[in-house]
Amino acid sequence: MQGPSPAVWIPAVYFAASALWIAVSDDVLAAWVRDPEALRRWTTVNGWGFVALTSLIFAWGLRRVQARERATSAHLDKLEQRARDLVEGSPDAILIQEGLDIVFANPAAARLLGAPSGEALVGRSVFDFIDPADRDAVQDRSLQAEGGLPFAPIATRRMCRLDGAPFRAEVGLVRFPGQGAPALQVTLRDVTQAWLLQAEVQRVNAALRTLGAVAEALVRAGSERELMEEVCRIAVDHGGFRLAWVGLPAPPGEPRVVRPVAVHDAGQAEGPGARWPDADRPDGLAATALATGRPCIANDLALDPRAAPDREVARRLGVGSAISLPIVLGSERLGALSLLAAEPGAFDAPVVQLLQQLVDDLAFGLVALRTRASLGSEREFLHAILQNAGVLIGVVDRSGTLVRANAEYERLTGWPVSELVGHAVWDRLVPPEAGRADQARFPATWQLQFPVVSSSQILTRAGEQRLVEWVQTALRDAAGVPTYLVVIGHDVTDRNRAEVRLRESREQLRALAARLQSVREEEKARMARDLHDELGQLLTGLKMDLRWLERRLSDLPASDATSPLVDRVVAASELADQTVASVQRIAAELRPGALDRLGLGPALRQEVRRFQERTGIACEGRIDEAAPEPPPEVATALYRICQESLTNVSRHAGARRVVVALSAEPPGLVLTVADDGRGLEAGPPALGPEALGLLGMTERATLLGGDVEFALRPGGGTVVTARVPLAGPRQEGP
């Protein structure tokens, strides 16, 4: 129990002692001293005794007050050290920023930014660590936060360390009063690996789209020039490359260079006859690739010494990496395909593997077109196509005997064509167990009216099994009776293996992304608990102690020594209140307690209220009370999708009203976020590297077997619709 205030007990003791002294001393002197002269002397002694007594009382009281002040100061120092230990020991990088200058940095920030200590960062500008492309966005967000305007609490930024090494960081921002001016608490988390995984998946998907489009172009092309120009256009339009060109080797006797014959540029900055300077040098990427017969890659044109002469042109065209792939068929080197990408590191192993398949297909297409041009008669033309086609072409009679076969049979199986023609196809080309089944099904094949597509294993002379995709078409006589069966086969063994590896890789990447997402949510929940339970309790204790100290100091007599101390304690108490509120808000943003305690519906209502209070935009929540409560992972995904959608509305939409709706729609739940803002400019957005938020929403739903749609709202605005089944994460095979 706390004692009375010094302002009360010191006057009380003084009053009691004085009253007792006066009352007792006067009576004693009157009774003891009878002589007037002696009484006068003793009265003087009595007065000096009274002065001595009161001096002792005041000295004793002041010593007690000083002892209390020392104890209070020691307690404040202990609380301050405890708060500093929490920040210094935090695993997350924490900076305090005033304006654009760093005034504090913890050890984790020093490690992340490559500084020897946190003190080494003090006084530096945050722009020293921000990529120039993101500096305007950082400055705008800082000004919004300092001015009390709505701002995004978390954003992803391109940053660099003191040694210049780039990385991607998730940046959290909290505003609190500083020394005379508002300050910002900045929390950094390195998300480079997750971003790189996502970028790699996007590059592989772009290469797959390019490969498919080139396959169609091979069928349509009527000339070599037309084919090469179409391949360049597809590489830029479908693959997302900045520039693509095909070059042919210079004639014998001339310098070893590659002469461009087809060029396509993403911005049309170069005309059809444009020349990439690399083509003029015998040691350029294209000439080197053609000479060695292997891809030549420069994944960073700013640092690769081979690209030094071309850096100015690369800067002007906005490219950061390049690759040249030789177009080779057998021993003949036909030319080189060169691709330039905007970002460094665009040509990793999976992308190069797919591009190698592309140039292999291009080589077959060029040879076929050259063969066609060199043949004089239609018969020779057809025969040349049959013999030079990169696929198996055979004719089978009604007994199953192979009566004609092209040279590809010999190349693929190792059997001479002369030893295959005249024998049943299942005698040598089909594994025994599959041959009996094929022989049993063969009569039914003649009843089919349309071409049949199937796949099966064939057996080579060396005993190796190859997977072949077949197209079977019946040839009929004048009466319409089928007499022969034309079979066209394409060896898909390597492609099938590559597809299996790619599918496994994509599933591993998706599993890793799911795991990273799960770990991130778990980490957010842990951080929210730590902030709420540990830091919240410490701050509450600090707040109570400061209140106690404020009351005690207020009870002291006002003086030049105590007034500044009281003001400082009052300011510290107010700062503690603001810190408690900030901790509660940050904990709720990391992991809303309502989501775990009450469920998805109440959590969405709470988020709607917070959004309206934070942004001033009218926000209505329409939550179906009959909707079932989903599993935790589904609830988390839908809640995060709602958060990201509302963030996009506040940043980009310029909306006046938003509606968030949750309803049950078998087999799961449907979340809709609709605004009346400016809407999407050209329909659904492309989920590229610059739309990481939209991609994150899509990936969250996809991992749970659902999907997200982005559409224009009738009358203006955007509608984001997320559908997720209640069954939870889907299980896919390899």
Side-chain angles (χ1 to χ4, degrees), residues 21-22 25-51:
W21 179 274
I22 292 171
S25 64
D26 288 343
D27 291 343
V28 169
L29 288 176
W32 182 50
V33 180
R34 300 295 183 179
D35 181 64
E37 183 62 23
L39 180 62
R40 185 184 62 79
R41 291 194 301 271
W42 278 106
T43 302
T44 301
V45 172
N46 179 53
W48 283 107
F50 179 77
V51 171

Side-chain angles (χ1 to χ4, degrees), residues 241 245-247 285-286 289-290 293-297 322-328 335-339 347 351-360 362:
F241 297 107
W245 64 278
V246 175
L285 298 183
L290 194 58
R294 295 189 302 271
C296 193
I297 306 170
I323 185 175
S324 287
L325 302 106
I327 306 172
V328 179
L337 170 66
S338 295
L339 303 171
F347 301 104
V351 173
V352 173
Q353 184 178 5
L354 293 170
L355 294 177
Q356 184 62 57
Q357 185 174 345
L358 184 152
V359 294
D360 290 344
L362 178 58

